[in-house]
Amino acid sequence: MKNLKLVAPTVDLKDSFYTMLQDWKYADERLSPWSIALETSDFEKYINTLLNASKGIGMGYLQVPHSSFWLIDENQNILATSNLRHTLNEKLWITGGHIGYGVAPSVRRKGCATKILELTLLEAKKLGIEKALVTCNKSNIGSAKSILKNGGEFWKETPMLNRITQYYWISI
């Protein structure tokens, strides 16, 4: 895929956002990252919630400032989303790390996960983050490959409920 860019959430991409959500619904999968699963019926309010969280206002369950991003193509289609946590708290050390991301099911295996992680790491660098903790489910081989392609170094894995979480560090 060419001409992909990372953008901050905007009301202008409302239709594209809902199309992406439908893609997830048809695949009958859990939305990822968590920020796209928030209430969106008042889309302008949803966008303001995301933008305010990046300023440390109304940070939600993470309780740390965090920024959301969308990976779009030349036709303004949202292909993937990410959530960048500006700092880590105890909960994020255990699960989540600095960056969570998800790719719309219909565009997987086309390099979108690698690209959104790459571009989100650049945003992390702007915040002064020198090493980013990124986690994934051990069974999510595609995510692990994207992390490794972005310089991820395996740190550890931990059993968690009914899955095993892998932890990687990426020097930025």
Side-chain angles (χ1 to χ4, degrees):
M1 303 199 102
K2 295 192 252 179
N3 301 323
L4 302 180
K5 66 180 183 176
L6 197 68
V7 298
T10 175
V11 175
D12 297 341
L13 293 173
K14 178 180 179 178
D15 292 340
S16 182
F17 183 84
Y18 284 128
T19 298
M20 180 204 52
L21 286 184
Q22 279 301 116
D23 191 359
W24 284 88
K25 183 178 179 183
Y26 291 142
D28 195 27
E29 293 182 13
R30 183 178 62 89
L31 295 170
S32 182
W34 69 274
S35 56
I36 64 171
L38 295 173
E39 173 59 45
T40 63
S41 60
D42 181 339
F43 198 71
E44 189 171 329
K45 180 179 179 183
Y46 169 69
I47 296 299
N48 285 331
T49 297
L50 295 179
L51 298 177
N52 283 336
S54 69
K55 301 171 192 164
I57 302 167
M59 298 173 287
Y61 94 101
L62 291 178
Q63 297 301 303
V64 300
H66 54 93
S67 300
S68 294
F69 300 99
W70 296 342
L71 183 71
I72 61 170
D73 65 13
E74 64 275 359
N75 296 317
Q76 306 294 298
N77 296 309
I78 301 172
L79 308 175
T81 64
S82 67
N83 185 259
L84 168 63
R85 282 69 92 158
H86 301 188
T87 60
L88 295 180
N89 60 18
E90 185 176 334
K91 180 177 187 169
L92 292 169
W93 273 101
I94 295 168
T95 182
H98 283 99
I99 300 171
Y101 57 93
V103 177
S106 66
V107 294
R108 291 186 184 149
R109 294 185 174 87
K110 297 180 181 178
C112 293
T114 300
K115 191 66 173 176
I116 195 161
L117 181 54
E118 171 193 330
L119 296 174
T120 305
L121 286 165
L122 294 175
E123 295 298 322
K125 185 176 185 172
K126 292 177 187 176
L127 293 173
I129 299 170
E130 296 176 0
K131 283 182 80 171
L133 178 62
V134 183
T135 68
C136 71
N137 187 330
K138 184 174 184 171
S139 66
N140 191 341
I141 295 166
S143 186
K145 286 181 178 179
S146 294
I147 294 166
L148 292 169
K149 285 179 184 175
N150 276 287
E153 293 181 23
F154 180 78
W155 176 32
K156 67 178 182 175
E157 60 183 33
T158 304
M160 210 174 282
L161 298 174
N162 59 350
R163 65 185 178 136
I164 296 174
T165 299
Q166 293 184 322
Y167 298 77
Y168 296 84
W169 283 104
I170 302 176
S171 294
I172 304 173

